[in-house]
């Protein structure tokens, strides 16, 4: 167990290092800095700004500075009293280039709770819809109900989520005014974007549940349970679900990544001030540090989630050991 | 057995046995798969549907459609009209190369010739407003058909890219085995846990700067970057799948048997290994193409996809969602592009499921 976690940590360090390094150098290779797109600055001002953010340093020095915690620069960015930039390794993601007076950490601290909330609502929708649809399909295989469920599930996979969101808005905001069109704050604001974000994933979960359950239901121990006279409901709850939902558990890791990706689009459509929309704006505005900070953050989130899923797996299925990987 | 080494059979028995044996024809993997695919009605009709769609998009310049980019700056999108079959509004003449840019964009040579044929056959005649027009007065039907070209082409090219990388990497890793294999798969693991889409957006935004100096300095064409980038994301699963298949094949009994009979390495490779890997690859392809089409739509939504005046389904879907407002619903702007995209992706998914069943060796010879 401890060995597993340590190995995971080792790979985590390598992974994050690859992400940071690759995106850092790609970013610097592209001509034009974050400030060269603005109004025509005089050379003096541009030089000053570049000096302030150390864009005048050679690339390797900038890289070491960004990585930290070497403390290549004594003074703080917002005047002499402020805390100097510590580097990514100390958990400091640096100042935002475009949102003056904000550090990347500030932006993330403000927006991440919103995104997490949205993600959780989406996860809830996806699991509730997906598992129930998958169960219904598995318990009544090859019936009209099963076919309908599978068709709906495939349809969910076949449309981009912003199109689904568009249909939802037309239907539940304009035609039947049940929900507010945009904004954030109450549960009412969360349900619609959460659904648009979770629905395509529900389709995958339904498929996974269906195949998993069908396989488990044909096992000997289920037949034994039925033969000894256990009511169907108990067989399902106590014996079948645990094994049948294993594929769904293993899907939770990749799903976190998907929900984070989808949040870029959904947050933009519903005008939700989450991390995803900040990332899109940052990337479009060449706000290097903010975009990189969010990329790093999401790498950490996805990696952590994958590790958690692997751990959970061993508790659910005692046959699996944490040997390899 | 008698001393002559022959089974002591009656001549008639022997004839009967031979005749019986002749009735059984060996069936190759592909014949069997094709037969079973035809049985699966959903998958079969999905395939026909896709074939029609690909043909339509390939021969789009031949079809008497209105120009996909001709602006008609009426204030509002016009709803579909189903009473008028067509009109004589296609009054373009194509003499110099620049003429094509008025009705289309910078077309390839062969597309220009197709347009010439269309002009010769149909003259000025073009279809009516069957699908309505968009917010700039452009004909939606024409845009959907022309957009299918971009979407399908992007999906094919990017899938091919991921295919080449994935198969090479996976096969190499599986064949070499040992430490190298271990290391190569660890690298894949590391790449897997990177949320690539963020890195991709990151790269694409920096490469899509409208400034002139970019193209001269960095020597990269954005279209190329697009494919490389998508291929770079989607090869990972392919590499894993192919490696697994190669590993299990390497030690399988029928390969051993083929070697024992004296088959050459080339024969083993092409007759036994390739078809077995290929079946997995084909199934995976039908699942990658939809993923890439969705990815293209996703990028278009963020403004990083195909650039106007060219169209793609993703761009059309975005236009549709942009036109949503509480006062008037321009339903055709959402319904038709989403319908085209949704039905294609559905068909691909069904075909993928059908192919998976048809090529599954465990189910071989059944049904």
């Amino acid at each position: 167990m401890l060995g597993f976690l340590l190995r995971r940590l080792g790979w985590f360090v390598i992974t994050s290092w690859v992400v940071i390094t690759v995106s850092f150098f790609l970013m610097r290779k592209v001509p034009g800095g974050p400030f060269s797109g603005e109004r025509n600055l005089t050379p003096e001002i541009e030089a000053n700004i570049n000096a302030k953010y150390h864009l005048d340093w050679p690339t390797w020095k900038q890289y070491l500075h960004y990585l930290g915690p070497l403390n290549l620069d004594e003074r703080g960015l917002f005047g002499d009293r402020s805390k100097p930039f510590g580097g990514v390794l100390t958990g400091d993601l640096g100042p935002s280039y475009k949102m003056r007076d904000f550090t990347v950490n500030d932006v993330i601290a403000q927006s991440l709770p919103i995104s997490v909330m949205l993600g959780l609502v989406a996860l809830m929708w996806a699991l509730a819809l997906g598992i129930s649809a998958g169960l219904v399909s598995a318990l009544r295989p090859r019936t009209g109900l099963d076919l309908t469920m599978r068709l709906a599930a495939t349809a969910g996979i076949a449309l981009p989520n912003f199109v689904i969101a568009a249909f939802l808005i037309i239907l539940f905001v304009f035609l039947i005014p049940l929900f507010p069109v945009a904004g954030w704050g109450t549960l009412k604001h969360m349900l619609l974007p959460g659904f648009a974000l979770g629905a395509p994933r529900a389709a995958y979960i339904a498929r996974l549940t269906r195949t998993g359950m069908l396989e488990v239901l044909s096992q000997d121990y289920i037949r034994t349970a039925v033969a000894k006279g256990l009511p169907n409901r108990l067989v399902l709850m106590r014996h079948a679900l645990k094994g049948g939902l294993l594929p769904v558990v293993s899907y939770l890791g990749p799903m976190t990544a998907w929900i984070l990706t989808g949040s870029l689009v959904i947050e933009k459509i519903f005008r939700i001030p989450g991390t995803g929309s900040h990332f899109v704006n940052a990337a479009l505005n060449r706000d290097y540090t903010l975009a990189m900070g969010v990329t790093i953050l999401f790498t950490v989130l996805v990696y952590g989630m994958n590790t958690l899923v692997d751990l959970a797996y061993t508790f659910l299925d005692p046959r699996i050991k944490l040997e390899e990987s | 057995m008698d001393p002559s080494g022959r089974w002591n059979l009656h001549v008639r028995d022997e004839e009967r046995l031979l005749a019986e044996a002749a009735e059984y024809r060996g069936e190759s993997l592909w014949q069997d798969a094709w037969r079973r695919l035809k049985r699966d009605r959903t998958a079969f009709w999905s395939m026909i549907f896709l074939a029609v769609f690909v043909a339509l998009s390939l021969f789009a310049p031949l079809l008497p459609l209105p120009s996909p980019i001709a602006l008609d700056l009426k204030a509002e999108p016009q709803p579909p009209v189903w009473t008028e079959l067509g009109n004589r509004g296609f009054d373009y003449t194509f003499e110099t190369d620049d003429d094509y840019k008025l009705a289309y964009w910078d077309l390839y040579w062969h597309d220009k010739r197709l347009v010439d044929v269309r002009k010769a056959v149909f003259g000025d005649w073009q279809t009516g407003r069957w699908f309505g027009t968009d917010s700039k007065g452009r004909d939606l039907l024409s845009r959907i058909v022309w957009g299918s070209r971009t979407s399908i082409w992007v999906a094919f090219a990017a899938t091919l890219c991921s295919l080449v990388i994935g198969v090479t990497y996976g096969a190499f890793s599986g064949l070499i085995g040992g430490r190298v294999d271990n290391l190569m798969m660890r690298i894949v693991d590391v790449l897997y846990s990177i949320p690539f889409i963020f890195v991709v957006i990151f790269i694409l935004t920096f490469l899509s700067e409208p400034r002139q100096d970019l193209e001269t300095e960095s020597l990269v064409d954005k279209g190329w970057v697009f494919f490389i980038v998508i291929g770079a994301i989607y090869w990972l699963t392919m590499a894993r799948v192919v490696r697994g298949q190669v590993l299990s094949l390497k030690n399988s009994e029928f390969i051993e048997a083929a070697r024992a009979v004296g088959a050459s390495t080339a024969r083993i490779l092409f007759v036994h290994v390739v078809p077995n890997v290929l079946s997995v690859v084909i199934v995976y392809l039908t699942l990658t193409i939809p993923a890439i089409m969705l990815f293209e739509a996703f990028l278009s939504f963020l403004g990083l996809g195909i650039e106007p005046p060219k169209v793609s389904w993703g761009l059309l879907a975005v236009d549709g969602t942009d036109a949503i407002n509480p006062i008037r619903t321009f339903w055709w702007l959402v319904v038709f592009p989403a319908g085209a995209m949704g039905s294609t992706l559905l068909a691909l998914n069904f075909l993928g499921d059908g192919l998976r069943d048809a090529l599954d060796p465990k189910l071989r010879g059944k049904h």
Side-chain angles (χ1 to χ4, degrees), chain A residues 204-226:
Chain A
Y204 272 102
I205 292 181
R207 279 181 158 196
L208 288 175
T209 313
R210 182 175 181 273
T211 22
M213 285 305 284
L214 278 181
E215 195 170 329
V216 166
L217 286 177
S218 64
Q219 299 274 325
D220 286 342
Y221 69 89
I222 297 293
R223 202 182 319 155
T224 314
V226 175

Side-chain angles (χ1 to χ4, degrees), chain A residues 14-319:
Chain A
I14 296 178
T15 308
S16 341
W17 176 75
V18 169
V19 171
I20 294 172
T21 311
V22 167
S23 35
F24 185 89
F25 282 102
L26 274 174
M27 198 169 73
R28 303 291 146 140
K29 270 276 161 275
V30 179
F35 304 105
S36 52
E38 289 176 40
R39 318 145 279 199
N40 278 335
L41 300 172
T42 57
E44 292 81 17
I45 296 180
E46 206 175 332
N48 262 337
I49 293 181
N50 281 345
K52 180 181 176 191
Y53 292 104
H54 303 305
L55 293 174
D56 52 345
W57 285 0
T59 315
W60 62 267
K61 201 172 168 192
Q62 287 184 43
Y63 174 67
L64 285 183
H65 180 60
Y66 185 71
L67 211 57
L70 292 173
N71 223 354
L72 296 173
D73 177 29
E74 292 300 319
R75 69 193 164 83
L77 272 163
F78 306 121
D80 288 332
R81 295 275 190 76
S82 60
K83 196 166 75 67
F85 172 54
V88 175
L89 287 184
T90 61
D92 185 354
L93 294 168
S96 163
Y97 284 164
K98 287 290 156 90
M99 299 172 77
R100 302 279 155 82
D101 300 334
F102 278 94
T103 65
V104 175
N105 291 39
D106 291 339
V107 176
I108 287 178
Q110 274 176 20
S111 61
L112 192 62
I114 299 174
S115 290
V116 168
M117 203 53 217
L118 176 65
L120 283 181
V121 176
L123 199 70
M124 233 79 103
W125 271 116
L127 287 177
L129 287 179
I131 292 181
S132 39
L135 277 183
V136 169
S137 291
L139 294 180
R140 304 259 180 288
R142 277 171 227 97
T143 57
L145 201 60
D146 176 29
L147 262 179
T148 324
M149 289 286 178
R150 281 168 70 194
L151 196 70
T154 322
I157 299 173
L159 282 177
N161 49 8
F162 61 87
V163 174
I164 296 180
F167 280 127
L168 287 177
I169 291 181
I170 292 183
L171 213 65
F172 292 113
V173 178
F174 297 151
L175 292 183
I176 320 164
L178 282 178
F179 295 100
V181 67
W184 193 250
T186 62
L187 187 66
K188 250 189 167 178
H189 287 109
M190 299 171 193
L191 284 178
L192 216 51
F195 182 83
L197 191 52
R201 299 303 113 194
Y204 272 102
I205 292 181
R207 279 181 158 196
L208 288 175
T209 313
R210 182 175 181 273
T211 22
M213 285 305 284
L214 278 181
E215 195 170 329
V216 166
L217 286 177
S218 64
Q219 299 274 325
D220 286 342
Y221 69 89
I222 297 293
R223 202 182 319 155
T224 314
V226 175
K228 73 179 184 190
L230 221 55
N232 274 341
R233 194 172 46 85
L234 274 184
V235 175
L236 190 69
M237 288 309 208
R238 235 181 251 165
H239 298 282
L241 265 187
K242 209 174 158 191
L245 289 186
L246 265 183
V248 176
V249 174
S250 67
Y251 185 62
L252 285 181
M255 192 158 95
T256 322
W258 273 108
I259 284 187
L260 288 176
T261 313
S263 71
L264 299 189
V265 170
I266 298 297
E267 284 179 9
K268 211 174 161 207
I269 291 187
F270 289 94
R271 311 258 190 285
I272 298 169
T275 316
S277 52
H278 276 301
F279 174 78
V280 175
N281 290 337
L284 292 177
N285 291 330
R286 302 185 140 233
D287 192 340
Y288 289 169
T289 40
L290 184 52
M292 267 190 81
V294 176
T295 309
I296 295 169
L297 172 78
F298 283 174
T299 311
V300 174
L301 279 181
V302 171
Y303 200 92
M305 197 61 197
N306 277 325
T307 310
L308 270 185
V309 163
D310 286 351
L311 279 179
Y313 226 74
T314 49
F315 290 115
L316 285 175
D317 190 345
R319 285 169 302 180

Side-chain angles (χ1 to χ4, degrees), chain A residues 11 158 174 207 286 291 298, chain B residues 186 198 202 209 324 345 353:
Chain A
W11 283 112
F174 297 151
R207 279 181 158 196
R286 302 185 140 233
F298 283 174
Chain B
R186 281 292 156 274
F198 292 91
F202 208 50
E209 282 287 302
I324 295 177
L345 295 190
D353 283 353

